[in-house]
Amino acid sequence: MKPKNLCCLIGRPGRNRMLNRVSTLVLKRGISTLHHDGLFRVHPMVSQALAENAPVVALESTIITHGMPYPHNLSTAKEVEAIVRAHNATPATVGVIDGKVHVGLSPEELDYLSQSSSSIKVSRRDLPYVISKGLSGGTTVSATMIAAHRAGIPVFVTGGIGGVHRDGENSLDISADLTELGRTPIAVVSAGVKSILDIARTLEFLETQGVCVATYGPSKNFPAFFSPQSGFTSPYQVCDPEEAADLIGTALSLGLQSGVLLAVPIPEEHAAAGLQIEGAIQTAVKEASMKGITGKDVTPFILQRVNELTKGKSLQANIALIHNNAKVGSQIACALSARKTRRKTTISSDHKPKPSQSDIVSKIPFLLLQVLTCCVRTCRPPIQVVIGGINVDFIAKGKTKTLQFGQTNPGSVCQSFGGVGRNIADSLSRLGHRPLFISATGADEHSEAVFSYCKHMNTSGVVKLEQQSTATYCAVITESGELSLGLGDMDIHQRITEDYVSRFEEQLSSATLVCLDGNIPTATINYVCSIAEKHGVNIWYEPTDSEKACKPFLSEAWKSLSYSSPNLAELCAMNRTLGLRTPEVLPSSLEEVLNVAMTLSRPLLEHLHCLVVTLGPFGVLVSGEHEAGSVNLTPTQKKEKRKLCALHYPALAVTSEETMNVSGAGDSLAGAMMAGMIQRRDTDTCVRMGLLAARLSLASPHPIAPLMTIDAVDPNLDQSPNWPMPTLMWLD
């Protein structure tokens, strides 16, 4: 996996500023890791399924907290989960409990939500408040979509989605479900929208949001929850799980960042009560208006009142359609999983020898063919793979001590080529290796410039996408080299999808090292981790920032990593995602910084082989298995308990006058350390190669210094500094 950024300024932009700003140490030596402070928790069964790329179905929980009375809500929730399991998928009911978003609930947690009288209806807007206050609640369609997408679940089943309310053109009362569908790439399986809404305007709004809508079944009739027909039609129609899976898979592969709505009509045997229910709905709507009930309280009131007016028939129909949606959604999730497997098999077969070669090969005795194949694989040069982003960087450096916002400041502006994945692949290429670089660019003038600049790299895995923009990043730094402001257009990174990366499964499964840039989608990270687990491949994960650091840790995927190189803030984020306690403020003194870094590294080393924690001006902390007074950087197959230690390497001094660019120092450190490891250098040499590479980057206008060569980062040459000995500390 991945050694990462360090050196005097080596955190990512803004890392050092955070370390310098704080002064209070909250985390003490010997901190307990039994508390759970992560915002998201993924149930172990869900994590395992995601890590294995098995079908998972997300389920909402407002139907439990606000949609049905107890005990019908609890029994329905359990029945729906049982239906999902019966169709060979794993259910992942989403809910908020005590300020934590749970993706997958235990039976006890389901029971708690079903009987809680204080549960809040949690939509996108409510998440920050509910979490900050430590409250509990049922997640709506929008909040469930957010959690499911973050966990890497592509299929979500619900009863019916919200929509544009009647008179919405005046009140602007539009459900957040619709806007979420327009910005979160996930497939939502529902019975259409509730008939109390303005269905025509709802469909128009979904079109405006770029949401692909299709009816599941023999016709395009768009259902209205209790009724299989609303009087309106969907733009498209899919007949079976396979067609639905093709639609979803294609949408996700396109990286459109919008969802797919699959509208499933209620089963015919329960649709007969539709007319009676519709009449009750109209009565309930009038009563809600007369009582002044508005906003998110409307739907629960109407559902409860309709159940009373229909003497339970609406509840029976509601349960029936949810059961049906769960069955259909599970079948689609399984078809989607099977589709991925088929595509990988097809892609693999594309690389078979041509017929003429096959004719020759078929004449070779079987045992001899085995020997030849083994020899070819043995002689094949080792490869490395880097998967991540490409950016066109614009670096603006001020010529004054402080920058004045709202006016023009004197300074210099230069263009360079960056992106975490590109930077690391560039570093390895300049240090004697030729990793396969997998990425995506637009088919625009920026991409032409990128390919021209990267001629020394193996960019055969970079796809050019029509109608897309190459990622761009603009950084404004002060005279002293500190990041003041950064802006980025990185949407194309989401096009580095699992589907595209799977085309290189053969290279991934035989690589000596795979480096993952945290900018790529969670589903892609999970896929690569599953390949690593299957074939024993070492993965280096480069977090890039605190938010993206969490991605592998949302499931069991992180246990397949071998290396990671977070800064202290990213290391905290990783621990929080696992539910472990972290400091509220980062420490400021060297002793406290090292103490916190070692404490937070310890639980991750239960599965990771080695951690390289970048500490800004304090240098680098390398932790892992002790070997001969140092940290062993080479993973072993030993299963016995390891003796763990950490080595602290001070940073190299770089003055503000020398600093020209802060966007590539960490990536240079990571790339040079990887190069040293591939060349089987000792630990001290690998780390010092990284520190020298980072210093070159800081003094260059380019993220990766064009002057970087294997000699330029060799710590044994005469021009190298007088290296201090690293400090050895024990973790156990």
Side-chain angles (χ1 to χ4, degrees):
M1 282 35 124
K2 63 162 199 180
K4 185 178 160 184
N5 14 328
L6 231 321
C7 148
C8 34
L9 289 177
I10 295 187
R12 280 203 168 16
R15 292 180 176 179
N16 315 307
R17 187 167 68 255
M18 181 179 295
L19 284 174
N20 293 332
R21 219 186 286 141
V22 297
S23 59
T24 305
L25 176 66
V26 174
L27 187 64
K28 301 296 183 183
R29 198 179 298 267
I31 181 173
S32 169
T33 59
L34 299 178
H35 295 79
H36 301 278
D37 295 332
L39 299 184
F40 283 79
R41 285 186 180 177
V42 182
H43 192 280
M45 293 297 292
V46 177
S47 295
Q48 181 179 352
L50 290 172
E52 296 171 353
N53 288 305
V56 178
V57 175
L59 303 167
E60 60 148 300
S61 53
T62 49
I63 192 171
I64 303 172
T65 58
H66 294 79
M68 294 181 182
Y70 181 83
H72 296 291
N73 56 353
L74 179 60
S75 60
T76 300
K78 291 182 176 180
E79 289 164 5
V80 169
E81 288 199 344
I83 290 170
V84 173
R85 292 189 184 96
H87 287 84
N88 302 313
T90 299
T93 303
V94 177
V96 182
I97 298 178
D98 297 333
K100 309 294 187 297
V101 179
H102 290 243
V103 181
L105 298 177
S106 67
E108 295 76 19
E109 289 164 342
L110 279 175
D111 187 67
Y112 169 75
L113 283 181
S114 69
Q115 298 191 62
S116 175
S117 59
S118 59
S119 291
I120 294 174
K121 190 175 183 181
V122 184
S123 185
R124 169 183 274 270
R125 70 160 191 186
D126 309 299
L127 279 170
Y129 180 82
V130 173
I131 291 174
S132 68
K133 294 294 185 181
L135 304 176
S136 301
T139 52
T140 65
V141 168
S142 64
T144 305
M145 288 178 69
I146 292 169
H149 174 57
R150 179 158 180 171
I153 302 172
V155 178
F156 161 41
V157 166
T158 184
I161 65 167
V164 179
H165 284 249
R166 298 182 183 185
D167 195 39
E169 68 274 21
N170 297 315
S171 66
L172 298 181
D173 191 351
I174 301 173
S175 171
D177 298 351
L178 304 188
T179 51
E180 201 62 52
L181 274 162
R183 59 185 166 190
T184 303
I186 192 169
V188 178
V189 179
S190 82
V193 300
K194 302 174 181 69
S195 57
I196 58 175
L197 303 170
D198 188 328
I199 296 177
R201 284 192 171 87
T202 296
L203 290 171
E204 287 289 344
F205 193 87
L206 286 169
E207 179 182 355
T208 301
Q209 294 292 308
V211 179
C212 183
V213 179
T215 297
Y216 182 90
S219 76
K220 288 186 178 181
N221 290 329
F222 187 78
F225 203 63
F226 290 123
S227 173
Q229 298 184 18
S230 63
F232 300 93
T233 58
S234 297
Y236 305 107
Q237 161 210 5
V238 290
C239 294
D240 52 40
E242 287 69 31
E243 281 193 17
D246 285 340
L247 176 63
I248 297 167
T250 302
L252 295 177
S253 296
L254 287 171
L256 299 178
Q257 299 308 297
S258 54
V260 174
L261 176 62
L262 295 175
V264 183
I266 188 173
E268 282 296 330
E269 61 269 26
H270 295 281
L275 288 177
Q276 179 186 357
I277 295 172
E278 284 298 324
I281 288 173
Q282 299 307 318
T283 300
V285 168
K286 292 178 182 178
E287 291 182 8
S289 177
M290 292 174 59
K291 293 183 178 182
I293 298 174
T294 59
K296 63 182 180 181
D297 297 324
V298 172
T299 299
F301 171 81
I302 290 178
L303 291 177
Q304 176 65 30
R305 187 69 182 115
V306 168
N307 183 50
E308 295 170 356
L309 293 171
T310 60
K311 298 180 180 179
K313 289 184 179 179
S314 68
L315 178 59
Q316 295 170 11
N318 194 2
I319 294 172
L321 71 84
I322 293 169
H323 284 183
N324 186 58
N325 289 353
K327 180 186 75 173
V328 171
S330 301
Q331 292 170 341
I332 292 172
C334 291
L336 186 60
S337 177
R339 178 182 184 271
K340 294 177 183 178
T341 302
R342 286 197 306 272
R343 288 179 66 84
K344 292 169 187 174
T345 303
T346 301
I347 290 164
S348 176
S349 66
D350 289 342
H351 297 285
K352 289 181 179 179
K354 296 179 180 179
S356 59
Q357 294 173 327
S358 298
D359 292 340
I360 298 172
V361 171
S362 65
K363 297 176 183 178
I364 302 175
F366 179 70
L367 291 176
L368 178 58
L369 179 59
Q370 284 188 314
V371 173
L372 290 174
T373 302
C374 181
C375 290
V376 169
R377 288 178 178 171
T378 302
C379 297
R380 182 182 298 165
I383 65 167
Q384 302 81 41
V385 179
V386 179
I387 308 174
I390 294 175
N391 298 340
V392 177
D393 291 344
F394 297 91
I395 309 298
K397 182 177 182 181
K399 293 184 177 179
T400 56
K401 290 184 178 180
T402 58
L403 296 176
Q404 302 298 321
F405 286 89
Q407 66 184 57
T408 301
N409 293 263
S412 60
V413 180
C414 67
Q415 175 184 323
S416 59
F417 301 97
V420 173
R422 195 218 69 86
N423 289 347
I424 292 174
D426 190 351
S427 295
L428 286 168
S429 299
R430 295 181 187 277
L431 296 177
H433 305 281
R434 191 170 171 78
L436 170 65
F437 181 40
I438 301 174
S439 188
T441 71
D444 53 21
E445 59 183 15
H446 284 321
S447 72
E448 295 302 324
V450 167
F451 280 101
S452 177
Y453 183 80
C454 298
K455 287 180 179 178
H456 61 292
M457 297 165 52
N458 178 5
T459 56
S460 60
V462 181
V463 61
K464 279 186 179 182
L465 300 174
E466 298 291 339
Q467 308 299 318
Q468 296 293 320
S469 299
T470 301
T472 53
Y473 174 72
C474 178
V476 180
I477 62 177
T478 63
E479 184 185 33
S480 62
E482 185 175 1
L483 179 71
S484 178
L485 179 68
L487 294 172
D489 175 7
M490 311 290 187
D491 291 348
I492 199 168
H493 292 160
Q494 299 309 306
R495 305 296 294 273
I496 310 172
T497 61
E498 171 189 355
D499 188 57
Y500 176 68
V501 173
S502 67
R503 301 180 189 184
F504 304 93
E505 183 167 328
E506 182 180 351
Q507 292 92 326
L508 289 169
S509 59
S510 60
T512 56
L513 181 68
V514 175
C515 177
L516 298 179
D517 165 357
N519 286 300
I520 65 178
T522 303
T524 305
I525 294 172
N526 291 344
Y527 163 72
V528 177
C529 286
S530 70
I531 294 296
E533 183 70 23
K534 181 178 179 181
H535 296 280
V537 177
N538 294 318
I539 296 183
W540 180 309
Y541 182 62
E542 172 57 47
T544 75
D545 63 36
S546 295
E547 181 179 354
K548 299 180 182 71
C550 303
K551 288 183 178 181
F553 297 86
L554 294 169
S555 69
E556 298 295 295
W558 75 277
K559 295 180 180 179
S560 300
L561 304 178
S562 296
Y563 307 93
S564 188
S565 54
N567 64 15
L568 201 54
E570 292 162 353
L571 184 61
C572 285
M574 293 173 174
N575 276 259
R576 281 196 300 271
T577 306
L578 293 176
L580 305 178
R581 192 175 179 182
T582 61
E584 295 178 8
V585 236
L586 296 180
S588 57
S589 70
L590 174 59
E591 181 182 359
E592 294 169 341
V593 165
L594 293 177
N595 178 39
V596 171
M598 289 190 295
T599 301
L600 296 181
S601 296
R602 182 61 185 84
L604 302 191
L605 291 171
E606 289 296 323
H607 294 280
L608 274 73
H609 177 73
C610 180
L611 275 170
V612 180
V613 184
T614 61
L615 304 173
F618 292 125
V620 187
L621 183 75
V622 181
S623 57
E625 181 180 14
H626 175 261
E627 182 181 74
S630 185
V631 173
N632 175 24
L633 296 181
T634 305
T636 62
Q637 300 301 319
K638 297 177 182 178
K639 297 298 182 182
E640 63 265 21
K641 183 176 176 62
R642 302 183 297 165
K643 188 173 183 62
L644 300 176
C645 68
L647 288 173
H648 173 237
Y649 293 82
L652 299 182
V654 178
T655 66
S656 60
E657 291 76 16
E658 294 174 312
T659 303
M660 296 184 65
N661 190 331
V662 296
S663 65
D667 303 331
S668 297
L669 176 109
M673 281 196 67
M674 290 181 208
M677 292 162 56
I678 295 166
Q679 297 162 13
R680 299 188 178 277
R681 305 283 191 103
D682 62 81
T683 302
D684 285 355
T685 300
C686 289
V687 177
R688 288 165 180 168
M689 286 174 65
L691 292 171
L692 287 169
R695 189 172 68 172
L696 283 173
S697 172
L698 291 166
S700 171
H702 302 279
I704 304 303
L707 298 177
M708 183 189 295
T709 64
I710 195 65
D711 287 342
V713 299
D714 189 340
N716 299 314
L717 297 182
D718 293 339
Q719 67 266 32
S720 300
N722 184 19
W723 294 100
M725 290 297 294
T727 304
L728 176 68
M729 296 162 284
W730 298 104
L731 290 184
D732 292 324

